[in-house]
């Protein structure tokens, strides 16, 4: 029997991206609520009791409400893949970043509840976790993380403002040091101190660069760019969607180069004379940063190889 999948909130960018990626699949049955019943709790409860997995593409509070509905179903509750921020560091939830460590794919496959990784967090954790695990970067290192995303990651109001030509060409935001991705970056990169995180949005629909500068002489052990590159090669050598790529010699990166893919590239830009490094992750904020990651996690949960 085909697994039944319910996308709760399939009218937003993440939900639409998931639906598009699953549209041609003949091994799944996608269940939808009619538009008129989407706020009908009884109708939603009935759907939840009848499906194998529900994917939540909802605001945080709405996601929590749906999880509460699932809790009330007891043995009839479906497995949950939550694309909101609500449960990324919550007890009992498995973090949906398969490339995090060697046993993460198995943990996701066996999980009843999976929290899909955040877009900025995907890049930051991919860059930091291997270096911290390899003891090349101390967990207490004072980090600054810079990032730029396409406006599609900002929700309906931001998308409408940009598409109407009413938004700034480039904008820094969340300058109160309280961005919602910081807790998951700290938890899963294994940081002991909050990083300084400076996100920004550009006048392009999708695409993302996450960059982290390092002063090598500030590290407790002597580290070279080659050490960092080899660490990424080892950590991601079996990863289908994450890879180290040699830094282009012109010192430039196009944020849109991986658009419409579910991949992520990692770069090490170095100046050995100055002993300075800039680590960069490039991804599509709607691909590996959202919908593509969700489908990757769904496949693991269902033991699928797509």
């Amino acid at each position: 029997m085909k697994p039944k999948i319910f996308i709760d909130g399939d009218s937003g960018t993440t939900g639409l991206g998931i639906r598009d990626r699953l549209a041609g699949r003949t091994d799944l049955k996608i269940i939808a609520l009619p538009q008129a019943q989407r706020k009908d709790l009884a109708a939603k409860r009935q759907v939840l009791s009848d499906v194998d997995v529900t994917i939540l593409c909802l605001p945080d509070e709405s996601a929590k409400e749906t999880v509460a509905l699932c809790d009330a179903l007891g043995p009839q509750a479906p497995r949950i893949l939550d694309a909101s921020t609500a449960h990324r560091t919550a007890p009992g939830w498995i973090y949906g970043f398969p490339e995090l460590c060697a046993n993460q794919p198995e943990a996701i496959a066996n999980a009843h509840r999976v929290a899909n990784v955040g877009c900025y967090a995907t890049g930051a954790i991919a860059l930091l976790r291997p270096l911290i695990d390899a003891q090349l970067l101390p967990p207490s290192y004072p980090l600054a993380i810079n990032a730029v995303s396409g406006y599609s990651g900002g929700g309906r109001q931001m998308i409408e403002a940009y598409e109407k030509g009413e938004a700034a060409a480039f904008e820094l935001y969340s300058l109160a040091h309280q961005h919602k991705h910081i807790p998951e970056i700290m938890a899963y990169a294994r940081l002991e101190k909050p990083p300084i995180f400076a996100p920004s949005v550009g006048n392009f629909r999708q695409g993302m660069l996450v960059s982290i500068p390092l002063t090598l002489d500030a590290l407790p052990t002597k580290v070279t760019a080659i050490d960092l590159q080899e660490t990424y090669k080892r950590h991601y050598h079996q990863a289908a969607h994450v890879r180290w790529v040699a830094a282009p010699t012109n010192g430039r990166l196009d944020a849109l180069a991986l658009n419409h893919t579910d991949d992520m590239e990692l770069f090490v830009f170095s100046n050995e004379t100055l002993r300075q490094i800039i680590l960069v992750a490039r991804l599509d904020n709607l691909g590996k940063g959202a919908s593509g990651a969700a489908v990757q996690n769904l496949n693991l949960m269902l033991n699928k190889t797509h």
Side-chain angles (χ1 to χ4, degrees), residues 39-73:
K39 294 186 179 180
D40 184 331
L41 291 183
K44 181 184 281 192
R45 190 180 297 111
Q46 181 59 48
V47 168
L48 291 170
S49 68
D50 191 47
V51 299
D52 298 288
V53 179
T54 182
I55 306 175
L56 309 184
C57 302
L58 301 166
D60 285 6
E61 290 307 312
S62 298
K64 292 176 183 177
E65 291 170 3
T66 299
V67 170
L69 283 177
C70 292
D71 288 341
L73 291 172

Side-chain angles (χ1 to χ4, degrees), residues 1 8 38 49-50 66-67 72 81 87 97 101 105 120 134 137 151 162 183 189 196 200 205 212 223 233 235 278 294:
M1 185 178 296
D8 191 1
R38 292 192 177 182
S49 68
D50 191 47
T66 299
V67 170
L81 174 56
H87 300 101
F97 185 27
C101 57
Y120 288 128
L137 182 67
Y151 60 76
Y162 271 96
I196 297 173
S200 58
R205 180 172 175 78
I212 303 174
V223 175
K233 288 180 186 179
H235 188 95
I278 300 177

Side-chain angles (χ1 to χ4, degrees), residues 79 94 103-114 297 300-303:
R79 299 170 76 187
I94 297 298
N103 62 355
Q104 200 68 11
E106 181 180 3
I108 293 168
N110 294 328
H112 191 71
R113 295 182 174 185
V114 176
N297 287 319
L300 286 168
M301 294 171 76
L302 299 176
N303 295 310

Side-chain angles (χ1 to χ4, degrees), residues 22-36:
L22 299 180
R25 297 273 293 266
T26 58
D27 58 326
L28 305 175
K29 184 174 182 180
I30 307 301
I31 306 298
L33 269 174
Q35 184 68 35

Side-chain angles (χ1 to χ4, degrees), residues 99-168:
E99 297 84 3
L100 181 68
C101 57
N103 62 355
Q104 200 68 11
E106 181 180 3
I108 293 168
N110 294 328
H112 191 71
R113 295 182 174 185
V114 176
N116 209 52
V117 62
C119 55
Y120 288 128
T122 303
I125 294 167
L127 291 168
L128 294 170
R129 176 66 177 264
L131 305 186
I132 291 174
D133 283 355
Q135 299 184 332
L136 297 177
L137 182 67
S140 59
Y141 187 92
L143 288 166
I145 302 172
N146 302 292
V148 60
S149 174
Y151 60 76
S152 57
R156 180 178 57 82
Q157 289 185 337
M158 180 177 285
I159 292 170
E160 289 178 354
Y162 271 96
E163 293 185 346
K164 290 177 181 177
E166 298 173 352

